[in-house]
Each structure stands twice: as C-alpha cells, then as structure tokens.
Amino acid sequence: MRWMEWYATLRKPSWTPAPGTIGTIWSILYPIIFVCVGFVLVQAIRGKLPWRVVLPFMINLAANLLFMPIFAGLKILPLATICIMTVLITIPWSMASVWKHHKWVALAQTPYLLWVSIATVLQISITAMNWGST
C-alpha cells in the first residue's frame, strides 16, 4: 500500500489539514529552515559562531528529515511522534542559542515553531487515535 493510501485509512482529528495544505506549508517552511541552518553552519565554519549554537539546528534538521521516512515509509506512528517531538523541542532551543548572535535567524524560526506545534499535536492525536490498529 502506498503511503498516501495508508494515510487515508488512518483515523484523524476533524481539524486535520488536507495533505495538499500540509505540503504547501512545508514548501514555504523548508527554504526558511535551510537558509537558517545554512547560515549558522557557514558562520560556525568561518569561526564566527560557536559550534554549540549549531548543535540544536543539526539535531532539528536530522529529526525533521527523518520524520517522513519513519511516518510514511516505516509507518511507525509512535516513533514518528517521538521524532516530531524532537523537532518541536529543538526549535526553541535553536532560537535561544542563536538569539544573542543573530536575532533574525531566531525570529525567522517563528513560523516553523508555530506550524510544528500544530503538527505535533496532530501527530500525537493521530497516534492516539490509531494506537494498536496500525
């Protein structure tokens, strides 16, 4: 079964956005994420930013990129929930770590934080609603 067919069979909250809406949101957020991650990485490589500032960005990026393979590929809802919770936790950590160095990078993460907060509640809900049936 393809992942979209599988996703359609899952029980979801009534407020679940359409898959196209979710895709559009991510297509807006990913460029912001990659600009911010790229910027802090380049600044650290140039020695203008401590590596400890880069750490939460790298953890966040890894967890973000792992979410879909875990969710849609492996179809393991509890593990996908842990993954998105990691994404959520590392966004404010990233924002706080970079704030005193480059406030614009921290502020640019705001829409990402808002969306991932919603997406995390959605993922937790989907996992709870489908517990034991997937």
Side-chain angles (χ1 to χ4, degrees):
M1 181 183 311
R2 300 169 85 176
W3 90 267
M4 284 298 291
E5 293 166 357
W6 169 77
Y7 181 74
T9 68
L10 294 175
R11 289 186 299 276
K12 296 176 270 311
S14 60
W15 53 269
T16 302
T21 302
I22 294 170
T24 299
I25 292 168
W26 281 113
S27 69
I28 293 166
L29 291 177
Y30 272 126
I32 296 168
I33 295 164
F34 287 118
V35 166
C36 291
V37 169
F39 180 81
V40 297
L41 187 58
V42 167
Q43 294 305 308
I45 290 169
R46 291 181 176 170
K48 296 181 179 184
L49 200 58
W51 282 99
R52 63 180 155 62
V53 173
V54 181
L55 179 63
F57 285 90
M58 294 294 103
I59 295 169
N60 176 273
L61 185 61
N64 187 314
L65 294 175
L66 285 171
F67 176 79
M68 280 307 287
I70 293 168
F71 179 79
L74 299 174
K75 299 177 179 77
I76 303 174
L77 295 176
L79 187 56
T81 300
I82 292 168
C83 191
I84 200 162
M85 290 174 74
T86 302
V87 174
L88 179 61
I89 291 166
T90 56
I91 297 170
W93 180 20
S94 298
M95 294 169 80
S97 73
V98 77
W99 180 259
K100 74 176 185 177
H101 304 282
H102 300 285
K103 288 179 180 49
W104 73 267
V105 175
L107 294 172
Q109 303 286 310
T110 304
Y112 183 32
L113 177 60
L114 292 173
W115 171 247
V116 172
S117 297
I118 294 165
T120 300
V121 172
L122 178 60
Q123 179 61 37
I124 291 168
S125 299
I126 291 171
T127 300
M129 293 173 80
N130 292 278
W131 193 262
S133 65
T134 57

